[in-house]
């Protein structure tokens, strides 16, 4: 019974670690999209200022 409990504990710990990684990856993707939008907006402002 002890081996079974250890196996369950390891499985739960692994699932927790994997879910944390997924949350981090989703956050990084969101930050990347926001950064891309910010760079696009800045580029448009610079180009627009250069036309004047």
């Amino acid at each position: 019974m002890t081996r079974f409990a250890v196996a369950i504990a390891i499985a739960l710990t692994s699932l927790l670690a994997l879910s944390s990684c997924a949350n981090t990856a989703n956050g990084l993707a969101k930050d990347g999209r926001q950064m891309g939008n910010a760079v696009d907006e800045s580029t448009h402002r610079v180009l627009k200022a250069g036309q004047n």
Side-chain angles (χ1 to χ4, degrees):
M1 196 66 162
T2 304
R3 286 185 184 184
F4 181 71
V6 170
I8 292 295
I10 290 172
L12 291 175
T13 304
S14 297
L15 287 174
L16 180 66
L18 289 174
S19 69
S20 297
C21 291
N23 289 336
T24 301
N26 286 335
L28 287 174
K30 183 178 177 184
D31 290 344
R33 285 190 299 271
Q34 290 175 345
M35 183 183 65
N37 289 337
V39 169
D40 284 344
E41 289 175 14
S42 297
T43 303
H44 288 293
R45 281 194 305 250
V46 168
L47 291 174
K48 191 174 184 180
Q51 290 176 351
N52 293 333

